[in-house]
Amino acid sequence: MKIINNEGVVCECPKEDELHVIRHTAAHILAQAISRLYPDAAFAYGPATEKGFYYDVDLGDVKLADTDLKAIEAEMRKIVKANLPIKSFTLSREDALNLMKERNEPYKIEHIGDLAEDATLSFFQQGDYIDMCVGPHLTYTKALKAFKLTGISGAYWKNDSNNKMLTRINGTAFATSAELDEYIKIMEEAKMRDHNKLGRDLEYFTTVDVIGQGLPIMLPKGARVIQLLQRFVEDEEQKRGYLLTKTPLMAKRELYKISGHWDHYLDGMFILGDPHDESKECLALRPMTCPFQYQVFLNRQRSYRDLPMRLAETSTLFRNEDSGEMHGLIRVRQFTISEGHIVLRPEQLEDEFKNCLKLANFMLETVGLKEDCTYRFSQWDPANPNNKYEGTPEQWEVAQKTMENILNHLGVAYTVGIDEAAFYGPKLDIQCKNVYGKEDTLITIQIDMLLAQKFGMEYVDEDGQKKTPYIIHRTSLGCYERTLALLLEKYAGALPLWMSPEQIRILPVTDRAKEYADNLLSKLESYNIRAAVDSRNEKIGYKIRQAQMEKVPYFFIVGDKEVEEGTVSLRSRKEGDLGAMTVDAVIAKVMEEIATKAK
């Protein structure tokens, strides 16, 4: 495949770069189409991505809808058909500024202003469209064979919520139509599993405009599943020596100043009061629980015999996420997490880290997500321009080397994420992808050698000397809302029996069977089986279809014959029609499946 680079040289494209070049060119053709249809549009960024491409555009008062994509895509096809040559040229910073002023591109002008005075900038042109870009690109527009626009979203200029919200037009492109068709097929299947659709259709959660974005309402089904997961986690943590705590949802700014969150995380916190007026009390909703749980350790003098101290809490947290980052239950502003902190002696670090990882893997295996997860060793970036991290380079070197040794000794296969560490220490992030391939962190295990000293945490060691402990920050199953989202997508809404909000539905065929159905319900409930009776005056076929659509694992059909024989006609979501069975046999089958947490 021929490409043109930013020096104007036509050359062969390396095989591994072909998709990037195709998508990068598609972004420019998208921008040209927009400029034709919306002459007053101003363009920000338009990169290729792992899944496709996008362009962020300021359209003034114009509000695009998904229905507008068809017209934009049609204009793109005209540009492709015209087979415009793509050329490149370079300009000095001053000449580049003048060109962008002539073309009325304020975002490009601002971007150039961020560059060095002696910078030389490259541009690519196709027909009347010119864009500042490092390239490379295809040599002719007709070389773009297969593309599709996929949606519209919003994005702040420079990802800063203080800046203007721009329109982001998303698309994808491939080398061949066959590859594009396969991708579209996969995406259509993903839409059917999207928790944002499934969760609402099956009534697990909803959102309400007057409550706010990123603040979902858990409907009874969703609330029940989260309760079941929380109980499972809390019981398992108790078996493994964790002490349960319950700490406040907010604290004065002074607590966050000690921990460092005030300096490093203020923009991500919800503040109650004026954060800059030191003369008045100011509080903040907690974005994490660590500085609160440290107070449990600090409640009295501690000995080495108290360590490791494993503290756990089902914590409700608050984080001021950008509106453009919110997505269903996966990224929200209020969420609940299986949070915990282990205060320990340095020589206990590897064993406790290993136990944290074993617990996390046990949880993921039990709920069925482990095979979808990967591990990332998140490290600091010493060149971080935002001064994001606490501590000295020497302290970070020790912490990261210690964690590297532990991970290697445990045989963990991981990737490295630079500049992904917490501000106080490196971490192991267990990553999980949603149905669209977007990766988010589900569980973290973090090594912290800094904050104990900031809080004055000490223990008396065997030699009678006071020493500073290490801390592991960890979660068992991470954020429950995010976990529920991933489970709905994993199982396409058909959750395993043990965590299904409704495990059995009883369907009486006639009014004569209603009393029998109610008696069955009472018996099932005596075994703590979650069941319901559909006593509506509807045909049995309708009730069956309804139970199937709502992904109920089992349902009983009971008519005159079942009443007379004291049986039920059992249907299974997975196994189909299982025929007549005694109630006791069904209960034994269901209880075994629940006890083993079968998937």
Side-chain angles (χ1 to χ4, degrees):
M1 186 175 77
K2 297 290 185 183
I3 59 172
I4 182 169
N5 63 25
N6 58 11
E7 296 175 348
V9 177
V10 176
C11 55
E12 284 292 328
C13 181
K15 191 69 177 176
E16 65 272 16
D17 295 337
E18 286 184 356
L19 206 52
H20 178 84
V21 173
I22 289 169
R23 290 170 173 173
H24 203 168
T25 304
H28 280 218
I29 293 175
L30 166 62
Q32 185 175 11
I34 294 169
S35 68
R36 288 182 176 182
L37 297 172
Y38 306 95
D40 294 330
F43 297 91
Y45 294 128
T49 67
E50 183 183 353
K51 296 294 181 181
F53 62 91
Y54 68 81
Y55 221 117
D56 290 343
V57 189
D58 186 347
L59 294 169
D61 295 330
V62 176
K63 303 295 182 186
L64 288 186
D66 285 340
T67 52
D68 296 311
L69 294 180
K70 189 174 181 180
I72 299 172
E73 201 172 283
E75 194 64 36
M76 291 177 68
R77 297 195 187 284
K78 291 179 184 177
I79 295 167
V80 169
K81 187 176 181 180
N83 202 21
L84 302 174
I86 299 175
K87 303 174 183 178
S88 70
F89 59 92
T90 58
L91 294 175
S92 67
R93 185 175 182 276
E94 182 180 355
D95 288 341
L97 277 171
N98 289 334
L99 177 62
M100 291 297 98
K101 287 175 182 176
E102 288 174 15
R103 298 183 65 85
N104 193 26
E105 295 286 5
Y107 298 99
K108 305 290 185 182
I109 292 168
E110 184 177 337
H111 179 52
I112 293 171
D114 295 334
L115 304 176
E117 290 287 341
D118 58 351
T120 298
L121 305 176
S122 58
F123 291 82
F124 285 79
Q125 180 172 2
Q126 62 215 32
D128 59 356
Y129 179 74
I130 300 174
D131 203 346
M132 183 171 67
C133 180
V134 296
H137 286 277
L138 301 172
T139 54
Y140 287 87
T141 58
K142 201 171 184 178
L144 182 62
K145 303 292 186 184
F147 64 91
K148 183 176 179 59
L149 299 184
T150 55
I152 298 170
S153 56
Y156 290 111
W157 167 235
K158 294 183 176 179
N159 292 320
D160 186 340
S161 60
N162 295 314
N163 291 335
K164 185 171 183 177
M165 174 72 78
L166 305 175
T167 300
R168 175 169 292 180
I169 302 174
N170 300 279
T172 193
F174 289 87
T176 66
S177 296
E179 290 174 301
L180 177 61
D181 290 343
E182 178 64 19
Y183 175 81
I184 292 171
K185 180 182 176 182
I186 292 171
M187 287 299 101
E188 288 302 319
E189 291 174 356
K191 285 180 183 178
M192 298 301 294
R193 287 178 172 264
D194 186 343
H195 83 277
N196 235 336
K197 173 176 170 53
L198 273 176
R200 296 171 196 274
D201 290 349
L202 295 175
E203 297 188 356
Y204 279 82
F205 77 98
T206 188
T207 50
V208 181
D209 287 343
V210 294
I211 290 178
Q213 194 176 11
L215 298 169
I217 301 292
M218 284 298 157
L219 300 174
K221 287 183 181 179
R224 179 65 69 195
V225 175
I226 287 179
Q227 180 192 56
L228 292 165
L229 293 173
Q230 287 178 0
R231 287 175 174 173
F232 169 53
V233 169
E234 289 176 356
D235 289 347
E236 191 61 37
E237 287 176 337
Q238 183 173 337
K239 292 176 188 175
R240 299 179 188 230
Y242 281 86
L243 305 173
L244 186 65
T245 69
K246 187 173 179 59
T247 57
L249 298 180
M250 66 182 78
K252 293 160 62 175
R253 73 181 134 209
E254 285 72 21
L255 179 74
Y256 302 114
K257 284 189 173 183
I258 296 171
S259 67
H261 291 100
W262 200 257
D263 293 328
H264 296 279
Y265 207 79
L266 184 61
D267 290 342
M269 296 166 68
F270 288 102
I271 308 300
L272 288 73
D274 185 348
H276 307 295
D277 186 350
E278 297 287 343
S279 67
K280 295 180 181 177
E281 185 175 68
C282 179
L283 297 101
L285 297 175
R286 63 182 184 186
M288 58 280 295
T289 311
C290 44
F292 296 82
Q293 284 199 326
Y294 297 164
Q295 309 310 311
V296 177
F297 178 89
L298 289 165
N299 188 53
R300 61 175 172 83
Q301 177 67 60
R302 301 294 176 180
S303 158
Y304 70 94
R305 294 187 179 89
D306 297 317
L307 305 182
M309 178 181 282
R310 306 182 186 102
L311 304 173
E313 183 166 336
T314 302
S315 305
T316 299
L317 304 179
F318 306 86
R319 295 185 184 175
N320 191 9
E321 301 279 4
D322 288 340
S323 60
E325 293 293 317
M326 248 86 72
H327 174 57
L329 298 179
I330 285 182
R331 192 168 291 275
V332 291
R333 285 174 169 158
Q334 176 184 313
F335 56 94
T336 306
I337 193 168
S338 56
E339 197 166 14
H341 299 88
I342 304 173
V343 188
L344 46 84
R345 297 152 63 190
E347 60 269 25
Q348 297 169 327
L349 182 60
E350 182 164 347
D351 282 344
E352 290 302 312
F353 191 98
K354 179 181 179 180
N355 289 336
C356 290
L357 184 55
K358 285 176 64 176
L359 175 57
N361 284 333
F362 169 76
M363 291 292 171
L364 291 171
E365 181 66 39
T366 303
V367 301
L369 292 176
K370 189 173 187 300
E371 64 185 20
D372 304 315
C373 291
T374 57
Y375 301 89
R376 183 181 72 192
F377 179 9
S378 296
Q379 304 179 3
W380 83 317
D381 180 4
N384 187 285
N386 299 318
N387 191 25
K388 176 181 172 182
Y389 301 101
E390 293 275 341
T392 64
E394 292 75 20
Q395 288 172 315
W396 275 92
E397 180 64 28
V398 170
Q400 291 192 168
K401 191 63 180 175
T402 300
M403 189 165 183
E404 180 184 5
N405 290 339
I406 291 173
L407 292 175
N408 291 341
H409 187 241
L410 295 178
V412 178
Y414 58 82
T415 59
V416 173
I418 300 298
D419 202 25
E420 296 288 350
F423 69 81
Y424 48 76
K427 57 194 175 108
L428 179 68
D429 289 323
I430 302 180
Q431 305 289 103
C432 195
K433 291 183 179 180
N434 67 14
V435 287
Y436 297 108
K438 169 76 165 58
E439 188 176 85
D440 284 290
T441 300
L442 188 57
I443 294 174
T444 65
I445 307 171
Q446 308 169 12
I447 292 178
D448 175 8
M449 299 181 178
L450 297 175
L451 293 189
Q453 186 172 16
K454 296 184 73 170
F455 277 89
M457 298 167 70
E458 294 178 329
Y459 66 94
V460 178
D461 208 354
E462 291 177 283
D463 58 7
Q465 300 297 310
K466 289 187 176 181
K467 296 182 180 177
T468 302
Y470 287 171
I471 299 171
I472 294 176
H473 306 238
R474 45 102 275 174
T475 53
S476 297
L477 195 54
C479 166
Y480 287 106
E481 290 83 357
R482 184 173 292 178
T483 299
L484 174 58
L486 294 169
L487 289 171
L488 286 172
E489 294 184 350
K490 169 79 174 183
Y491 296 108
L495 298 180
L497 178 70
W498 73 273
M499 68 173 83
S500 290
E502 182 184 347
Q503 295 168 318
I504 296 176
R505 185 172 297 179
I506 307 167
L507 310 179
V509 177
T510 64
D511 289 343
R512 294 185 300 277
K514 284 184 178 178
E515 182 180 352
Y516 181 62
D518 290 337
N519 291 335
L520 287 174
L521 176 63
S522 296
K523 185 164 186 175
L524 292 173
E525 289 179 337
S526 71
Y527 284 88
N528 290 322
I529 295 171
R530 297 181 293 280
V533 175
D534 185 348
S535 58
R536 294 175 297 168
N537 188 24
E538 299 283 357
K539 292 181 178 179
I540 191 64
Y542 177 84
K543 293 181 180 181
I544 290 172
R545 288 192 298 274
Q546 192 74 24
Q548 291 171 331
M549 288 174 58
E550 294 181 25
K551 317 286 187 181
V552 180
Y554 289 104
F555 48 97
F556 298 168
I557 299 171
V558 293
D560 292 341
K561 180 181 178 182
E562 286 76 21
V563 172
E564 183 180 341
E565 296 178 353
T567 61
V568 298
S569 177
L570 181 63
R571 299 260 183 119
S572 165
R573 186 180 63 199
K574 293 191 297 184
E575 302 168 87
D577 189 352
L578 298 178
M581 294 181 67
T582 66
V583 178
D584 288 342
V586 172
I587 289 174
K589 173 181 173 61
V590 169
M591 293 299 288
E592 171 67 15
E593 193 173 333
I594 292 171
T596 59
K597 292 184 169 58
K599 303 181 191 66

